[in-house]
Amino acid sequence: FKYRHGVDLYVTVSEAIRGILIKDGIAPERAVCVHSGIDLRKIDDAPVRRDAIRAELGVPPDHALIANVAHMADHKGQRYLIEAMPAILAARPRTVCAIVGDGELRGELEALAAKLGVTAGLRFPGFRADIPVVLKALDLFVMPSHMEGLGTSVLDAMAAGVPVVGTDAGGMPEMVEDGVTGLRCPIKDAPALAKAILLDDPALGQRLAAEARRRVVERFSTDSMVDGTLRAYARVLAPDVRAGR
């Protein structure tokens, strides 16, 4: 009832969600995608405090730092990142993973880390208000979601110039083009996640990060989002404008 009556146009944050609406019976012409955008200035203006952030998180100078930033809820898939950690640490013991954020699953995730024996390689710093600064201290950003509308924290990492590993969830492939703007793996697949994270090619990581930054600037800024939203409004209001109402 909600989606079939009284609405002229639906604006979705990803083509994936638009596809769901169409599959559920909404006429294609009544749904348009306007990707969520981020304020690039918040990323660009953030100071670089790489050494300070890493010291604060207890990351030794010779260790790589990977991180996920998200609410600790089931659909964000942090459990699969934790399940990937034994393989990651076996291959590269000088690695630390920070799961930044909080939520109802925090205790469960910490218990899983202890059960798998990877607590020493994990950090749970909780909620932080300085995410742009944290991103600039990372070597890799991981988003292991198994359900996602789009995922703007991925855009933040891409804008910060950090290589990204994501999944096939929802609208994420619209941001993370595998082998072009990041690496992508199937959902709920810890071994595949570990394999992507362990890719030993720094030059590739730099190329992916550079292209990801360009993609955000071109397609996922707040300016792009505003322009797309205005076009959607104009499309709906055009008959009234022509009639002088």
Side-chain angles (χ1 to χ4, degrees):
F1 183 86
K2 172 183 175 184
Y3 289 112
R4 289 179 182 270
H5 301 279
V7 175
D8 295 303
L9 186 70
Y10 295 93
V11 180
T12 67
V13 300
S14 66
E15 290 289 354
I17 294 179
R18 180 174 180 268
I20 291 171
L21 290 181
I22 293 170
K23 183 179 178 181
D24 288 345
I26 299 300
E29 63 271 16
R30 292 179 59 216
V32 61
C33 170
V34 177
H35 285 121
S36 295
I38 63 167
D39 184 355
L40 289 160
R41 292 171 299 181
K42 292 177 65 175
I43 303 297
D44 294 344
D45 293 346
V48 177
R49 300 180 56 240
R50 181 179 173 89
D51 292 343
I53 292 294
R54 292 164 72 92
E56 187 178 333
L57 294 175
V59 181
D62 61 345
H63 280 46
L65 175 59
I66 65 176
N68 164 258
V69 178
H71 181 67
M72 293 182 183
D74 177 75
H75 69 281
K76 291 297 184 180
Q78 287 102 339
R79 67 170 294 113
Y80 305 106
L81 176 54
I82 294 173
E83 288 174 356
M85 285 303 294
I88 292 169
L89 292 172
R92 291 186 192 158
R94 294 179 179 179
T95 301
V96 171
C97 175
I99 299 180
V100 183
D102 216 331
E104 61 270 20
L105 293 186
R106 177 165 181 165
E108 184 177 317
L109 294 172
E110 291 177 335
L112 177 62
K115 178 182 177 181
L116 295 176
V118 294
T119 301
L122 280 167
R123 305 289 185 270
F124 292 90
F127 175 84
R128 294 188 64 119
D130 60 345
I131 294 303
V133 179
V134 172
L135 290 174
K136 291 183 177 183
L138 304 182
D139 296 298
L140 184 73
F141 181 88
V142 183
M143 181 55 77
S145 304
H146 63 82
M147 184 169 61
E148 196 73 67
L150 186 67
T152 54
S153 59
V154 174
L155 295 177
D156 289 338
M158 291 167 67
V162 181
V164 171
V165 170
T167 69
D168 296 330
M172 208 178 312
E174 296 166 42
M175 302 177 294
V176 184
E177 184 179 352
D178 191 38
V180 179
T181 61
L183 297 177
R184 223 172 55 238
C185 54
I187 64 170
K188 299 183 178 182
D189 191 334
L193 200 62
K195 184 178 179 180
I197 290 169
L198 286 168
L199 182 65
D200 190 12
D201 189 343
L204 175 60
Q206 292 173 3
R207 289 197 301 272
L208 296 175
E211 182 58 34
R213 165 75 188 190
R214 283 193 289 271
R215 185 71 56 89
V216 173
V217 172
E218 292 173 1
R219 303 186 192 178
F220 295 98
S221 68
T222 49
D223 288 341
S224 296
M225 179 176 63
V226 168
D227 289 343
T229 304
L230 288 174
R231 286 194 298 271
Y233 288 174
R235 172 176 164 182
V236 174
L237 296 173
D240 287 339
V241 172
R242 287 195 297 267
R245 293 196 296 271

